[in-house]
Amino acid sequence: APSGCPCVAGERLCSTEEAAAGSGTYTRHGFIFSSLAGCLERKNEDTELPVVSVVRDSESQLLPNVGAVVTCKVCSINSRFAKVHILYVGSTPLKSTFRGTIRREDIRATEKDKVEVYKSFRPSDIVLAKVISLGDAQSNYLLSTAENELGVVVARSEAGVQMVPISWCEMQCPRTHTKEFRKVARVQPQFLQT
């Protein structure tokens, strides 16, 4: 089968004389079989035989699409936006890093002109957001947290303790009882990435 072909688990791919077994495959009776459903990849490495491997479909082409709910980590903030790294699309972890931006006007649905980025997110916060437009050349996705379900799901206090949400705009450190402002997500249980 040529490279890029879909294959199912248990499918016979080729003989061990033609290729070496890579990830996602196993050998039996002189043949290489697929151990998972995915796309066949044949790579000519420095070995005498090409290496045959199978990559899961979801991993090979999973990209954040417009409308997808993503879990991301805040890297930096300024007065206009927060820069984030996208870690999950839905509940599937991404293999490569995608960058995203949450602009000040996309943080909340109401009173957009009163929003302050540093009162909504802090670096290293874990945030649930929705993709509102696809990236430019730098693969920078525009994200929004304007819905109630979206926003900060995990934040650590200055003391390094995971904080507890006490309202839609505040979290509290259980150790020091200090309150910090955040755009808090009203999390639905299926999105909790603990």
Side-chain angles (χ1 to χ4, degrees):
S3 210
C5 269
C7 52
V8 295
E11 188 176 327
R12 192 168 88 180
L13 305 173
C14 61
S15 88
T16 50
E17 289 167 13
E18 293 173 62
S23 61
T25 68
Y26 62 93
T27 54
R28 187 177 291 160
H29 308 308
F31 289 97
I32 299 175
F33 293 85
S34 169
S35 62
L36 47 90
C39 272
L40 182 65
E41 277 194 356
R42 194 185 285 261
K43 286 201 182 99
N44 287 323
E45 294 173 4
D46 300 334
T47 49
E48 290 172 31
L49 293 172
V51 175
V52 170
S53 53
V54 177
V55 182
R56 240 183 250 276
D57 291 340
S58 59
E59 291 170 6
S60 55
Q61 53 241 13
L62 184 74
L63 294 170
N65 286 324
V66 172
V69 173
V70 296
T71 304
C72 42
K73 184 174 188 173
V74 179
C75 307
S76 62
I77 57 171
N78 65 25
S79 60
R80 298 191 318 283
F81 52 75
K83 290 265 185 215
V84 302
H85 281 155
I86 301 172
L87 309 174
Y88 288 82
V89 172
S91 58
T92 310
L94 290 171
K95 286 202 147 177
S96 49
T97 305
F98 292 93
R99 289 193 297 272
T101 301
I102 305 171
R103 296 176 304 186
R104 200 183 87 152
E105 60 266 32
D106 298 322
I107 290 176
R108 329 194 267 247
T110 55
E111 300 184 313
K112 295 181 182 192
D113 51 332
K114 295 196 181 128
V115 175
E116 291 180 82
V117 179
Y118 76 95
K119 285 188 176 178
S120 306
F121 310 117
R122 295 284 169 88
S124 83
D125 283 359
I126 302 295
V127 174
L128 213 53
K130 189 172 266 185
V131 179
I132 51 174
S133 85
L134 295 181
D136 49 27
Q138 288 85 42
S139 76
N140 197 350
Y141 289 80
L142 276 184
L143 308 175
S144 162
T145 55
E147 293 166 42
N148 290 342
E149 289 76 36
L150 307 175
V152 177
V153 284
V154 179
R156 296 200 174 277
S157 66
E158 305 272 319
V161 183
Q162 190 168 322
M163 294 197 289
V164 180
I166 51 173
S167 74
W168 61 273
C169 63
E170 278 185 305
M171 286 185 154
Q172 187 170 28
C173 173
R175 188 184 297 162
T176 62
H177 303 297
T178 314
K179 293 176 187 175
E180 292 184 27
F181 286 108
R182 288 295 195 283
K183 196 291 179 183
V184 180
R186 188 177 69 207
V187 180
Q188 295 161 335
Q190 74 261 32
F191 287 124
L192 276 171
Q193 303 285 351
T194 46

